[in-house]
Amino acid sequence: MLSSNNDPFTSKLKFILENTTWSYETTVTFNHNLTISLSISDEHVLHWRPNGYGDQPLYNSVILNQDNRIGSRLIGFRTVQLIQHEYGAGINGTSFYFSINFKSIFIKGSNWIPSDSFQKRVSDEKCERLLRSAQLSNMNMLRIWDGGIYERNSFYEIADRLGIMLWHDFMFACSLCPVDEPFLTNVHEVIYQVKRVQHHPSIVLWFGNNENEAAVAHYWYGLPQEKLKKTKDDYRKLYVDTIIDAVKQTDKGNNRPFVTSSP
């Protein structure tokens, strides 16, 4: 929100969490980059839980400017941790399990690929039917496979309601991506997508790509030996130096774990 001549201006905002007693008022200066952090104590809300572990309460968060409603989002409250601890001497690898609201969760799920090659044929009703089928099958997680697409808004809303956690890949699959400046600039698609869906409690994990790390580590593409170091350096530049940093800066405060490659 800027004035007609694009100059910053000061205004009063009020935040309301409908069907609770919580609200907050503040005066802010609007400019091109405005971030407001709010703290809501547990006494005002119930925790969102995965399918099979409890209910999925959602709250409508409303923003008022001079008593005029300027925006709202349906949100949920939960914690998420990805537990990866060493097993000890003689055992290679780490644990890999989720704790939601400080409770370990037994994951039951599947991959989610686009439900139709022609997205115009996909309705919200079809998404609802497929996700409800997963819920009724006692699943509690779907992995959004990054050989597919970033799903429509209603998909995430349905997952929120049904308690389906989402392991969310970014759309970089089975390929050696370039790391020149034009491509790295276009990685801002990641920032756009995170901003679009980050308020959904169903999303519990970000993954940078699909199998690209395994491809580099195990020489899937038959690259000559002299190109391997540059290939590994390029991988780190894209996923570790660029994408991880972009996601952490955009999604800070949500504490979602980020893993560079899936698997």
Side-chain angles (χ1 to χ4, degrees):
M1 296 179 62
L2 297 173
S3 63
S4 57
N5 60 2
N6 222 29
D7 292 330
F9 70 96
T10 299
S11 187
K12 187 175 183 180
L13 293 182
K14 183 175 183 179
F15 299 84
I16 297 174
L17 205 59
E18 290 185 342
N19 299 318
T20 75
T21 59
W22 183 88
S23 65
Y24 179 77
E25 294 186 42
T26 186
T27 299
V28 299
T29 298
F30 286 98
N31 54 39
H32 290 284
N33 297 294
L34 174 65
T35 299
I36 300 174
S37 297
L38 302 173
S39 178
I40 302 173
S41 64
D42 283 350
E43 66 187 75
H44 295 288
V45 296
L46 298 173
H47 286 170
W48 183 96
R49 292 180 170 85
N51 182 34
Y53 287 84
D55 297 328
Q56 296 79 43
L58 298 171
Y59 299 88
N60 196 32
S61 174
V62 178
I63 306 175
L64 303 174
N65 179 18
Q66 310 294 350
D67 293 326
N68 295 314
R69 185 179 180 128
I70 61 172
S72 66
R73 276 185 172 173
L74 202 60
I75 60 176
F77 296 86
R78 55 102 187 94
T79 67
V80 55
Q81 295 170 287
L82 174 60
I83 310 299
Q84 293 179 281
H85 61 71
E86 300 287 343
Y87 284 115
I91 300 178
N92 188 28
T94 68
S95 65
F96 192 101
Y97 66 91
F98 289 89
S99 173
I100 305 296
N101 303 321
F102 307 104
K103 181 180 179 64
S104 299
I105 303 296
F106 185 82
I107 299 299
K108 296 171 285 185
S110 183
N111 267 340
W112 174 271
I113 65 172
S115 55
D116 197 298
S117 296
F118 299 95
Q119 284 295 298
K120 284 289 187 180
R121 299 195 302 209
V122 180
S123 64
D124 290 349
E125 290 74 20
K126 182 175 183 178
C127 286
E128 175 91 31
R129 184 173 70 253
L130 291 172
L131 287 173
R132 190 167 291 280
S133 294
Q135 181 204 41
L136 294 175
S137 299
N138 295 314
M139 293 186 189
N140 56 24
M141 177 176 278
L142 293 173
R143 174 203 173 201
I144 299 180
W145 172 63
D146 68 356
I149 61 171
Y150 298 103
E151 284 292 343
R152 63 185 66 194
N153 292 336
S154 59
F155 174 90
Y156 302 95
E157 293 164 2
I158 296 166
D160 289 346
R161 285 194 285 104
L162 299 182
I164 303 297
M165 295 179 290
L166 300 175
W167 161 322
H168 206 308
D169 291 358
F170 291 107
M171 302 300 135
F172 301 91
C174 302
S175 62
L176 297 177
C177 296
V179 292
D180 56 359
E181 198 57 38
F183 188 85
L184 292 179
T185 300
N186 284 334
V187 168
H188 285 301
E189 77 170 57
V190 168
I191 297 174
Y192 169 81
Q193 295 295 343
V194 171
K195 286 182 177 180
R196 181 174 70 93
V197 301
Q198 66 185 159
H199 62 284
H200 291 286
S202 54
I203 300 175
V204 298
L205 178 68
W206 302 117
F207 257 91
N209 63 72
N210 174 71
E211 299 182 355
N212 292 359
E213 187 167 313
V216 172
H218 299 290
Y219 317 116
W220 287 4
Y221 302 118
L223 295 172
Q225 192 69 30
E226 61 269 18
K227 290 189 176 182
L228 288 179
K229 182 181 184 304
K230 183 179 185 307
T231 300
K232 292 179 180 180
D233 289 344
D234 287 350
Y235 177 90
R236 295 187 189 97
K237 183 175 182 179
L238 177 58
Y239 298 106
V240 179
D241 299 337
T242 303
I243 292 180
I244 287 181
D245 184 65
V247 172
K248 286 185 176 180
Q249 287 299 315
T250 307
D251 201 35
K252 59 185 176 182
N254 280 320
N255 296 319
R256 286 188 183 94
F258 184 109
V259 180
T260 53
S261 188
S262 170

